[in-house]
């Protein structure tokens, strides 16, 4: 069964450093998403991406964050200057269409900021 | 008032029991409702996906949506130890917004 793949599974970074989280969405999917889950809290929406553009973003997704689809298969989330509060699980998701098709999630990248 | 509320549990049941998991929500614009299962150190895995009010059944799982009460449920029949996981409800309006709003998740343990 096709799945969303995320790398790395765990990333440890010094505060202030840049980090790039990578995702390979399901191949025929057109919509891509990033969510995060701080330990003990809800899964929160960050951003959605369609047709090489951000279609929606939350208040969390400030100027420190950016997303890119650098080629036909990868979808990345970059955090420019990491803060301690960026420590969380980051999940990538993809869907075939917008809302009529459900979102499928990867297993996440655990980001630890020291 | 929190947008989506879900009892975090933990909920512990014997094998074979019927499990009932619930979420309430406040945003009447929500039209699409999902249940995800999350095992430890894994991502959310889609279980059920429903639109508007009504019931949907898939094997041992039944999802119910009551939009008039802003209440959704997931029933698991003949629960198995392999059902032990955290269950997340999620929803979206679909009206130009596809972001999912999640509940906090209910941790379920099925005891053999």
């Amino acid at each position: 069964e096709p799945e969303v793949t995320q790398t790395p599974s765990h990333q440890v970074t010094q505060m202030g450093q840049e980090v790039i989280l990578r995702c390979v969405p399901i191949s025929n999917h057109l919509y891509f998403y990033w969510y995060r889950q701080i330990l003990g809290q809800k899964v929160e929406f960050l951003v959605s991406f369609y047709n090489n553009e951000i279609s929606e973003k939350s208040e969390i997704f400030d100027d420190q964050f950016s997303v890119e689809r650098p080629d036909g298969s990868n979808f990345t989330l970059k955090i420019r200057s990491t803060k301690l509060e960026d420590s969380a699980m980051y999940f990538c998701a993809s869907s075939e269409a917008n809302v009529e098709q459900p979102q499928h999630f990867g297993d996440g990248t655990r980001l630890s900021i020291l | 008032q929190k947008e989506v509320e879900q009892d975090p549990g933990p909920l512990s049941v014997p094998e074979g029991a019927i499990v009932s998991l619930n979420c309430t929500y406040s945003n009447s614009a929500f039209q699409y409702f999902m249940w995800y299962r999350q095992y430890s150190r894994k991502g959310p895995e889609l279980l059920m996906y429903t639109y508007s009010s009504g019931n949907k059944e898939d094997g041992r799982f039944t999802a119910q949506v009551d939009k008039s009460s802003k209440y959704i449920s997931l029933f698991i029949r003949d629960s198995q130890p392999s059902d032990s996981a955290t269950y997340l409800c999620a929803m979206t309006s679909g009206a130009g917004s596809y972001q999912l709003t999640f509940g906090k998740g209910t941790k379920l343990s099925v005891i053999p």
Side-chain angles (χ1 to χ4, degrees):
Chain A
E1 184 172 323
E3 57 183 26
V4 176
T5 306
Q6 290 186 243
T7 54
S9 57
H10 187 197
Q11 175 81 46
V12 182
T13 302
Q14 292 288 332
M15 187 173 60
Q17 295 295 305
E18 176 182 285
V19 66
I20 296 176
L21 309 183
R22 291 183 165 78
C23 170
V24 178
I26 295 172
S27 61
N28 64 331
H29 285 189
L30 301 176
Y31 291 78
F32 314 115
Y33 312 84
W34 284 101
Y35 292 80
R36 79 171 185 191
Q37 186 175 30
I38 293 171
L39 187 65
Q41 297 187 24
K42 294 182 178 183
V43 176
E44 301 173 289
F45 170 78
L46 293 178
V47 66
S48 60
F49 192 85
Y50 169 69
N51 200 25
N52 281 320
E53 287 185 346
I54 289 174
S55 47
E56 198 175 4
K57 62 182 180 179
S58 72
E59 291 176 354
I60 303 168
F61 194 88
D62 61 22
D63 292 343
Q64 294 298 313
F65 292 88
S66 61
V67 288
E68 193 179 26
R69 188 150 162 84
D71 53 42
S73 58
N74 289 285
F75 179 51
T76 62
L77 174 70
K78 183 194 289 186
I79 309 175
R80 246 178 290 282
S81 179
T82 50
K83 306 181 186 71
L84 293 176
E85 55 264 36
D86 294 327
S87 296
M89 283 291 291
Y90 287 81
F91 293 108
C92 174
S94 68
S95 64
E96 241 179 289
N98 46 34
V99 71
E100 283 80 23
Q101 297 296 327
Q103 296 175 29
H104 295 269
F105 284 75
D107 282 340
T109 293
R110 181 156 66 102
L111 178 62
S112 300
I113 307 300
L114 304 179
Chain B
Q1 185 181 10
K2 293 179 184 175
E3 206 162 21
V4 178
E5 300 219 39
Q6 185 177 6
D7 186 339
L11 180 62
S12 185
V13 302
E15 183 176 354
I18 296 174
V19 176
S20 172
L21 305 168
N22 312 293
C23 287
T24 59
Y25 63 94
S26 57
N27 187 348
S28 58
F30 288 144
Q31 298 274 3
Y32 297 85
F33 304 91
M34 286 130 271
W35 286 95
Y36 287 87
R37 178 174 62 195
Q38 188 175 25
Y39 292 114
S40 181
R41 299 181 184 278
K42 293 287 190 179
E45 172 195 2
L46 181 70
L47 279 178
M48 301 291 281
Y49 182 67
T50 54
Y51 169 69
S52 195
S53 285
N55 293 0
K56 184 174 182 179
E57 189 173 320
D58 184 0
R60 296 184 295 111
F61 299 92
T62 300
Q64 287 185 352
V65 175
D66 181 349
K67 287 190 66 184
S68 62
S69 303
K70 298 191 181 69
Y71 186 86
I72 69 171
S73 302
L74 177 71
F75 296 95
I76 307 173
R77 289 184 298 281
D78 188 24
S79 55
Q80 302 295 309
S82 58
D83 295 328
S84 298
T86 296
Y87 289 79
L88 308 171
C89 64
M91 47 200 80
T92 184
S93 66
S97 171
Y98 313 129
Q99 62 175 280
L100 297 182
T101 301
F102 281 84
K104 203 169 181 181
T106 299
K107 187 169 183 179
L108 171 68
S109 295
V110 181
I111 311 301

